[in-house]
Amino acid sequence: MRSYNPDLTPPWKRPAPVPEVPADPDLVVEEVATGFCGAVIRCEAGTVTLEDRFGKHRVFPLEPRGFLLEGRVVTLVRPVSAPSRPTRTASGSVAVPGARARVARAGRIYVEGRHDAELVERVWGDDLRIEGVVVEYLEGVDDLPAIVAEFGPGPDARLGVLVDHLVPGSKESRIAARVTSPDVLVVGHPYIDVWEAVKPSSLGIPAWPAVPRGQDWKTGVCRALGWPSDNTGAVWQAILRRVTSYKDLEPELLGRVEELIDFVTAPDVP
């Protein structure tokens, strides 16, 4: 049976509660038992280090009612550390805390589909907002030459295009070759779908499965891996959540996106 030990001390004899004060650096307090007075220079688990006006250090336990602050008895407690801010963005760039998004440039980066756009936003979103670069998706590149002509690229409005499966002899390579403006840069990765640009190790799979020609690639991948094949959108969102930084992506995609950002934000572009 659990014992019960009530406090039989009369209320008028019980010590009055005292405030708890965080032992923040430079807080000046006096230790009750010794009268040592000094500023907090360090607070670790269970102890606080004080430095007096002569530079002498003393370490004291964080006992209840153990210190005086401006003549009042207090209990020093370990301060709560402020959450550290990331020093790098997901793309590996130096983070700029508090930086405001730049007004959008006239230039753009086009990607093939929504999944491509979401992946670029996931990793490069902070960088793109600081640079004022907007990413839009095209739902395919079959009409790329007409889309480029409608955009009207120029030295002050450059256009970067990221193409899936841009390999020699592919349909995509033939379409890209028809875009010849010096103010447009078309680059691509070798993957059939941008899903493949996510490293298998980041998803806990040994490799992306091979899907026979003529079969929908996403559906085939889901079936081979035992993922739901009737809702590839939900599968993609699960994949996207596993991407936390550039380290989760293949170099073939990383280099191409960085290349497009550099092209669109070149110094001679306002």
Side-chain angles (χ1 to χ4, degrees):
M1 179 179 294
R2 183 177 179 181
S3 61
Y4 175 59
N5 298 309
D7 184 1
L8 300 178
T9 306
W12 59 86
K13 289 188 177 181
R14 295 175 188 171
V18 300
E20 292 186 346
V21 177
D24 293 322
D26 299 326
L27 180 73
V28 177
V29 294
E30 178 183 342
E31 202 274 330
V32 170
T34 63
F36 186 90
C37 183
V40 175
I41 62 168
R42 186 181 306 109
C43 186
E44 300 171 326
T47 65
V48 62
T49 303
L50 305 182
E51 180 183 63
D52 69 9
R53 62 193 181 94
F54 302 108
K56 183 178 180 181
H57 291 186
R58 291 280 298 273
V59 180
F60 299 98
L62 292 174
E63 297 287 353
R65 307 173 63 89
F67 298 87
L68 296 175
L69 175 62
E70 298 179 350
R72 295 181 300 125
V73 177
V74 299
T75 296
L76 287 188
V77 295
R78 192 175 184 182
V80 178
S81 301
S84 59
R85 292 179 174 177
T87 58
R88 296 279 175 177
T89 66
S91 71
S93 302
V94 176
V96 185
R100 294 184 178 181
R102 176 174 172 166
V103 175
R105 296 172 182 266
R108 291 286 188 274
I109 290 178
Y110 285 168
V111 297
E112 282 207 46
R114 176 175 295 176
H115 294 182
D116 306 69
E118 290 175 340
L119 187 59
V120 170
E121 163 62 26
R122 182 82 169 182
V123 175
W124 289 273
D126 290 339
D127 309 62
L128 293 168
R129 280 183 284 278
I130 290 176
E131 295 291 349
V133 177
V134 174
V135 175
E136 300 178 4
Y137 64 92
L138 304 173
E139 295 290 5
V141 293
D142 289 353
D143 298 322
L144 183 60
I147 292 171
V148 170
E150 182 179 357
F151 178 82
D156 59 345
R158 291 183 176 178
L159 180 61
V161 184
L162 179 68
V163 178
D164 297 342
H165 198 227
L166 190 62
V167 295
S170 67
K171 176 191 73 172
E172 291 81 3
S173 66
R174 292 191 294 272
I175 293 172
R178 293 162 55 193
V179 178
T180 58
S181 169
D183 299 308
V184 179
L185 176 64
V186 180
V187 298
H189 56 75
Y191 309 113
I192 296 174
D193 191 279
V194 78
W195 287 23
E196 276 192 290
V198 179
K199 290 180 178 178
S201 58
S202 297
L203 303 176
I205 60 176
W208 287 103
V211 176
R213 290 178 64 90
Q215 184 178 145
D216 179 73
W217 189 86
K218 291 187 180 75
T219 302
V221 163
C222 290
R223 287 173 178 165
L225 294 174
W227 296 344
S229 60
D230 59 345
N231 192 345
T232 56
V235 172
W236 166 246
Q237 291 305 315
I239 293 171
L240 191 61
R241 285 193 292 271
R242 303 295 289 272
V243 177
T244 59
S245 78
Y246 71 96
K247 296 178 182 179
D248 296 307
L249 301 182
E250 299 288 1
E252 289 82 355
L253 176 67
L254 292 173
R256 302 296 75 73
V257 176
E258 296 286 351
E259 191 176 352
L260 291 177
I261 294 174
D262 289 343
F263 179 77
V264 174
T265 62
D268 58 335
V269 179

